[in-house]
Amino acid sequence: MGTCLVLTAGCGGDDDGDPDAFRAEANAICADYEEKIAVIPPPQEALDEWAAIAADIGDLLETGVNELDALEPPGDLGDSYDEWLALKRRSLEATRDLQEAGAAANQELVSEALDSLEETEGRADEIATELGLDECATSRAGD
């Protein structure tokens, strides 16, 4: 699973804020979460390992989403940023679904949750790139 669930977070800012400062803050936070998630080992073989892994990632994701809500992008970035945040919330939901599926050792539900995450994160990555939040695009080339 690697770093596919990275989340950004931040605080401060206002509608008249500096887009470059906003991007720098968000990218710095994304890099921090990327680092924290990257150290979570992927499952080895047991299906139920997904429960603990998804719980750890979900906790990080939830904290990040809460912090993201405090970050206010400059006005011209607001709509795209809101769309991106909504996708990150869907990723959090899918991560919690993965946690439950792992706990139930249900391969079909694990696969569904992983597919949902892949789809949601793919679109979120596109928006992050459009916003200039390159550290927030979790499936950057080379990862």
Side-chain angles (χ1 to χ4, degrees):
M1 187 158 161
T3 59
C4 71
L5 298 177
V6 168
L7 204 330
T8 71
C11 56
D14 59 48
D15 287 341
D16 297 324
D18 177 5
D20 291 334
F22 163 77
R23 288 180 181 107
E25 183 178 11
N27 277 318
I29 304 283
C30 286
D32 181 51
Y33 277 90
E34 174 88 16
E35 185 178 311
K36 290 175 182 177
I37 289 173
V39 299
I40 298 172
Q44 297 304 306
E45 292 185 31
L47 193 58
D48 64 350
E49 291 176 353
W50 278 113
I53 292 166
D56 290 344
I57 291 172
D59 291 347
L60 289 169
L61 210 48
E62 187 169 0
T63 300
V65 167
N66 290 337
E67 291 179 23
L68 278 166
D69 283 334
L71 183 63
E72 294 182 31
D76 60 332
L77 302 178
D79 289 343
S80 293
Y81 188 72
D82 288 345
E83 182 182 357
W84 182 70
L85 276 175
L87 288 165
K88 299 313 283 188
R89 286 185 191 99
R90 286 204 327 237
S91 289
L92 175 58
E93 291 172 16
T95 301
R96 296 304 186 195
D97 291 346
L98 180 58
Q99 181 180 351
E100 291 176 16
N106 185 318
Q107 180 62 58
E108 183 177 342
L109 293 178
V110 166
S111 294
E112 287 176 13
L114 290 171
D115 288 347
S116 177
L117 278 166
E118 183 177 351
E119 179 180 331
T120 303
E121 285 298 306
R123 178 63 185 133
D125 287 352
E126 291 172 10
I127 295 171
T129 300
E130 291 168 9
L131 287 167
L133 304 179
D134 298 331
E135 291 294 325
C136 303
T138 61
S139 58
R140 296 181 309 270
D143 279 357

